[in-house]
Amino acid sequence: MVNVLNKLKKIFMADKVIPRGKEWPDEQQGVLPANWQPNEPIDELTPLDPDPEYLQYSAEAVGFSNREMQWDLYRNVLSHIPVDDSILDFGCGRGDYKLFTSQEYKYDLNYIGIDMNENLINAGKSVYGDLIDIRCLDWFSLPKDLKQDWCINIKSNNLRYDADIKTTDDQYLKDTIQSMYDHANNGVVILLDNTVHNPGDVLVWAQDNLGGVALDHSFSDNEYILIIYK
């Protein structure tokens, strides 16, 4: 238990300092074999090992500039959801959202997190163990009986990590929202960047195709929250 508490302190009290100029390699990058010679065909790249400390404790690893921004956005999303309602988190990363609610609001959230990034899921499990239910799943092919009161998505659709070059960003977002809607009992809350997804276009589509819709643009000039009620 002491070990777990020490790990959690790293998430709540400090980010790991990443040296200026250090770039985080994506999963497709690698390094050349040691014996490779110029003009020689490359059969495969040696994978770069992820930095476990960075994945486990950094806010940047889960898409936020810093910890303060991460917690502020969590607060904004949570303000649209009744306290006792359960959550299915699309793009959960390490599952920090549940830890945040338990520490800041002192209640045991009924929470399931899903993410397509296995490295982040493994990082979350290494930090939280069995305290948080997070699963590596493709959110476009979830079991039909996997449902919670609300489905949330916090910034996970501002960048894509899939290899599908045929599906446009616009269609990918619509498919994601539809999957969230299908797996929610009460509704959907999704946080988006307006430089990536035009709020007017998203709002009109949601109004035409789904239930009652609201849009919260009050907390940021660059980001907004779309709420869809069932």
Side-chain angles (χ1 to χ4, degrees), residues 16 19 81 99 130 146 182 190 196:
K16 176 177 171 61
I81 299 172
L99 174 68
D130 296 330
L146 180 56
D182 292 341
I190 181 168
V196 179

Side-chain angles (χ1 to χ4, degrees), residues 47-68:
L48 288 171
D49 291 332
D51 178 348
E53 288 273 309
Y54 180 78
L55 283 180
Q56 291 169 355
Y57 306 117
S58 170
E60 291 91 336
V62 287
F64 302 95
S65 299
N66 53 59
R67 190 73 64 218
E68 182 179 7

Side-chain angles (χ1 to χ4, degrees), residues 153-170:
N153 185 319
I154 306 174
K155 294 175 69 72
S156 291
N157 264 83
N158 294 335
L159 290 173
R160 287 176 60 179
Y161 302 96
D162 63 299
D164 182 358
I165 60 175
K166 295 182 179 179
T167 304
T168 65
D169 292 347
D170 179 62

Side-chain angles (χ1 to χ4, degrees), residues 11 15-16 18 54 57-77 89-97 100 115 120 152-159 161 191-192 219 223:
I11 288 184
D15 283 326
K16 176 177 171 61
I18 305 300
Y54 180 78
Y57 306 117
S58 170
E60 291 91 336
V62 287
F64 302 95
S65 299
N66 53 59
R67 190 73 64 218
E68 182 179 7
M69 172 189 282
Q70 184 181 5
W71 291 167
D72 282 346
L73 292 180
Y74 284 0
R75 290 186 189 97
N76 280 298
V77 168
D89 187 356
F90 280 58
C92 66
R94 294 179 299 246
D96 295 347
Y97 189 87
F100 170 78
D115 203 295
L120 286 178
I152 66 171
N153 185 319
I154 306 174
K155 294 175 69 72
S156 291
N157 264 83
N158 294 335
L159 290 173
Y161 302 96
L191 191 148
L192 298 166
F219 62 94
E223 293 171 314

Side-chain angles (χ1 to χ4, degrees), residues 2 30 37 67 72 76 81 99 102 105 154 157 180 183 189 194 204:
V2 172
Q37 298 295 322
R67 190 73 64 218
D72 282 346
N76 280 298
I81 299 172
L99 174 68
S102 65
Y105 295 97
I154 306 174
N157 264 83
M180 295 172 68
H183 291 273
V189 179
N194 62 14
V204 169

